Amino acid sequence: MIKAEFANGANVLHLKPDLVGKQRILFPPKDLREQFADLAKPIYQEAGALEDANDLLAQTRDLLLPRLISGKLSVEDLDIQFPPSMRDDSPKPDQNLESKT
């Protein structure tokens, strides 16, 4: 049980809201902050672009999957090239183990 003397409305015990404003916060020099921003900006831009691409892929999946499952959209006549690991003639993991022993 929390003692009443510590329950002063703050989310952290022993931390009074009026003391938060009195705390000193250290910042790196402006030139170092700018260097960091220059390095970090392309990373954040790439993350945003990847998030947008992921959203678009999810929307595409959500539109196509029901049509594929229901048969409304046929892929029968498409020339789909599978990577070797997905081909029917590729060795299965169990086959690889048996041939090595």
Side-chain angles (χ1 to χ4, degrees), residues 5-77:
E5 63 189 342
F6 298 128
N8 56 20
N11 290 330
V12 180
L13 293 179
H14 310 293
L15 179 64
K16 295 180 182 179
D18 58 329
L19 294 178
V20 173
K22 295 180 182 178
Q23 298 300 311
R24 292 182 57 203
I25 300 173
L26 299 177
F27 290 97
K30 185 176 180 180
D31 62 327
L32 188 58
R33 293 192 315 258
E34 289 172 353
Q35 286 177 14
F36 173 79
D38 290 343
L39 290 171
K41 185 176 180 179
I43 296 169
Y44 285 114
Q45 289 173 332
E46 180 70 13
L50 290 170
E51 186 175 356
D52 292 344
N54 194 44
D55 290 343
L56 182 59
L57 287 168
Q59 290 174 9
T60 304
R61 176 206 59 213
D62 293 343
L63 289 171
L64 288 175
L65 193 56
R67 290 177 175 99
L68 289 166
I69 291 172
S70 69
K72 288 183 180 178
L73 182 61
S74 175
V75 294
E76 193 172 316
D77 296 330

